[in-house]
Amino acid sequence: MKRKFIVANWKSNFTSLEVNQWIERFKNYDLGFTNKGVIICPPFVMLPILKSYLSNHKSSIKLGAQNVSPFDEGAYTGEVSAKQIKEFADYVLIGHSERRKNFMESDEILFKKVELANKYGLAPIFCVQDETTKIPENVKMVAYEPVFAIGTGNPDNPETAEKIAKQIKENTKVTTVLYGGSVTSKNVKDFTQTPDINGVLVGGASLDAQEFYAIIQNA
Ligand code: PGA
């Protein structure tokens, strides 16, 4: 059976109080997920709270950041470097369409981020918007997230997503392709049961602990 990944992208949501409320609801379900890799990507400032919860609870969940500086440590005010993130997380989202659009992140910047993530042992989860998005050489995990499907309640159809996942694997060194865009506990299986989609990247639905657990179960 293929190992499935369920990745939560909390985006710029949740205060520390709300993170603790989420944990309070989720911890009853967090009993080890056989054959599933669960990764939570909270805002940077929430990583320490989650890290301490995961170690106290002996949880199998891993952490990811949502962004990383394109520069190494040093005089880059306001940036968080890959070296700093690695103290808390094992993964990092790079190239999300919200960052490309709102923060003008170019392929050049994104490629630098991937390079630094790899340098410090953070696994990039590289987001692509369609089959034309450039993927850096040393990326193993990709999330296919068509812009029309993000936060709209209008997911891509699983046949198209599967076709793109297959194409990415054939044309690159990528071994793991996730689908993202309006994933819920009701539609997750339609994606994860295809041969080439290895999991999902979940935004809005991951903010509800019970719904996120249902997604993990149904994946
Ligand atoms: P969504 O977001 O699940 O709310 O559509 C997915 C994402 O942007 O990663």
Side-chain angles (χ1 to χ4, degrees):
M1 202 158 87
K2 70 179 177 184
R3 180 169 163 80
K4 291 169 189 160
F5 289 89
I6 299 92
V7 184
N9 175 10
W10 284 359
K11 308 193 180 183
S12 198
N13 292 293
F14 284 170
T15 60
S16 52
L17 177 68
E18 289 163 336
V19 170
N20 282 310
Q21 287 167 342
W22 189 98
I23 289 171
E24 218 29 62
R25 291 191 196 104
F26 190 77
K27 74 176 180 208
N28 306 321
Y29 310 126
D30 187 2
L31 304 165
F33 300 107
T34 334
N35 232 343
K36 299 207 171 131
V38 180
I39 302 164
I40 300 177
C41 305
F44 284 135
V45 288
M46 303 303 164
L47 281 167
I49 302 179
L50 280 152
K51 193 181 174 194
S52 97
Y53 156 69
L54 296 178
S55 67
N56 293 337
H57 202 72
K58 299 190 174 36
S59 172
S60 61
I61 291 176
K62 302 281 184 209
L63 292 176
Q66 298 171 17
N67 186 24
V68 58
S69 175
F71 298 99
D72 217 321
E73 64 189 324
Y76 302 103
T77 302
E79 287 298 283
V80 183
S81 73
K83 189 179 181 184
Q84 292 168 320
I85 295 170
K86 183 59 193 176
E87 292 196 295
F88 298 94
D90 294 308
Y91 294 86
V92 60
L93 296 175
I94 296 177
H96 193 285
S97 57
E98 289 158 10
R99 295 214 55 89
R100 293 177 193 258
K101 175 168 168 267
N102 299 315
F103 303 93
M104 275 73 75
E105 292 190 351
S106 62
D107 288 341
E108 195 192 342
I109 285 182
L110 298 173
F111 278 47
K112 278 197 199 161
K113 291 184 179 209
V114 166
E115 196 183 308
L116 283 162
N118 282 326
K119 176 175 171 189
Y120 289 101
L122 274 175
I125 304 174
F126 194 80
C127 303
V128 306
Q129 289 68 50
D130 57 43
E131 61 272 45
T132 68
T133 309
K134 286 199 192 115
I135 301 171
E137 275 258 325
N138 35 8
V139 160
K140 296 267 178 305
M141 192 186 281
V142 151
Y144 162 60
E145 293 206 313
V147 173
F148 70 81
I150 296 179
T152 58
N154 177 31
D156 201 349
N157 77 61
E159 294 73 37
T160 312
E162 160 60 23
K163 218 170 79 191
I164 291 180
K166 186 162 191 265
Q167 207 172 315
I168 291 171
K169 286 182 180 174
E170 281 169 0
N171 298 332
T172 65
K173 294 191 184 118
V174 170
T175 52
T176 305
V177 179
L178 314 178
Y179 165 75
S182 297
V183 171
T184 64
S185 58
K186 304 239 153 53
N187 64 26
V188 63
K189 188 88 192 170
D190 301 339
F191 294 98
T192 55
Q193 73 188 0
T194 65
D196 290 290
I197 298 174
N198 305 88
V200 285
L201 177 53
V202 190
S206 70
L207 298 172
D208 179 326
Q210 206 173 338
E211 170 66 2
F212 186 57
Y213 176 63
I215 292 173
I216 299 169
Q217 274 202 308
N218 297 349

